[in-house]
């Protein structure tokens, strides 16, 4: 499969990380023309430009049920369009959240690693 096509059909879903998520959203838009979706409690200017914001509660065990409901509702709505829902944690709290609830989200999303400086945030789709 052509990697460019694969990346172009992804629906990036960024978790938390304000500034990091903003940089990832900007990079994905510039490189692939993709608009991202972002779930988190605090935004960043770049997110206002390159992502559709879905405010949620801070990532913590107490808030897991609410965050899971929001993400699953998003997957039901956007998964029908045929794109690959790529879930990208952009903060240490989001990484811990995904470790706790991985088994509940892996049927709806492709769970990717946190973005590394200088790498394509969607590279995990190829592996």
């Amino acid at each position: 499969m052509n990697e460019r096509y694969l990346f172009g059909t992804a629906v990036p879903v960024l978790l938390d990380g304000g500034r990091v998520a903003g940089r990832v959203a900007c990079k994905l838009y510039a490189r692939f023309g993709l608009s991202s979706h972002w779930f988190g409690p605090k935004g960043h200017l770049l997110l206002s430009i390159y992502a559709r914001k879905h405010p949620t509660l801070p990532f913590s065990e107490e808030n897991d049920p609410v965050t899971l409901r929001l993400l699953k509702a998003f997957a039901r709505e956007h998964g029908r369009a045929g794109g690959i829902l790529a879930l990208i944690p952009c903060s240490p709290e989001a990484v811990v959240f995904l470790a706790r609830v991985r088994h509940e989200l892996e049927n709806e999303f492709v769970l990717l690693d946190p973005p590394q400086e200088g790498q394509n945030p969607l590279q995990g789709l190829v592996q």
Side-chain angles (χ1 to χ4, degrees), residues 49-124:
I49 300 168
Y50 296 108
R52 182 167 177 217
K53 295 189 292 184
H54 305 271
T56 187
L57 299 170
F59 289 86
S60 69
E61 283 189 60
E62 299 82 35
N63 297 332
D64 284 358
V66 173
T67 306
L68 279 171
R69 275 196 305 271
L70 289 170
L71 289 169
K72 287 182 175 212
F74 175 86
R76 278 192 304 276
E77 181 181 335
H78 289 83
R80 292 186 210 126
I84 300 167
L85 299 176
L87 200 56
I88 305 170
C90 295
S91 74
E93 294 82 9
V95 170
V96 172
F97 165 75
L98 284 181
R100 285 192 305 262
V101 301
R102 173 177 284 286
H103 63 282
E104 296 189 50
L105 293 174
E106 57 194 1
N107 288 332
E108 290 94 356
F109 296 92
V110 175
L111 307 178
L112 299 177
D113 292 327
Q116 301 298 314
E117 191 66 36
Q119 289 185 329
N120 174 1
L122 297 174
Q123 190 60 41

Side-chain angles (χ1 to χ4, degrees), residues 32-63:
F32 302 110
L34 295 174
S35 293
S36 300
H37 291 266
W38 174 76
F39 288 82
K42 296 182 198 171
H44 185 269
L45 179 62
L46 288 174
L47 289 168
S48 300
I49 300 168
Y50 296 108
R52 182 167 177 217
K53 295 189 292 184
H54 305 271
T56 187
L57 299 170
F59 289 86
S60 69
E61 283 189 60
E62 299 82 35
N63 297 332

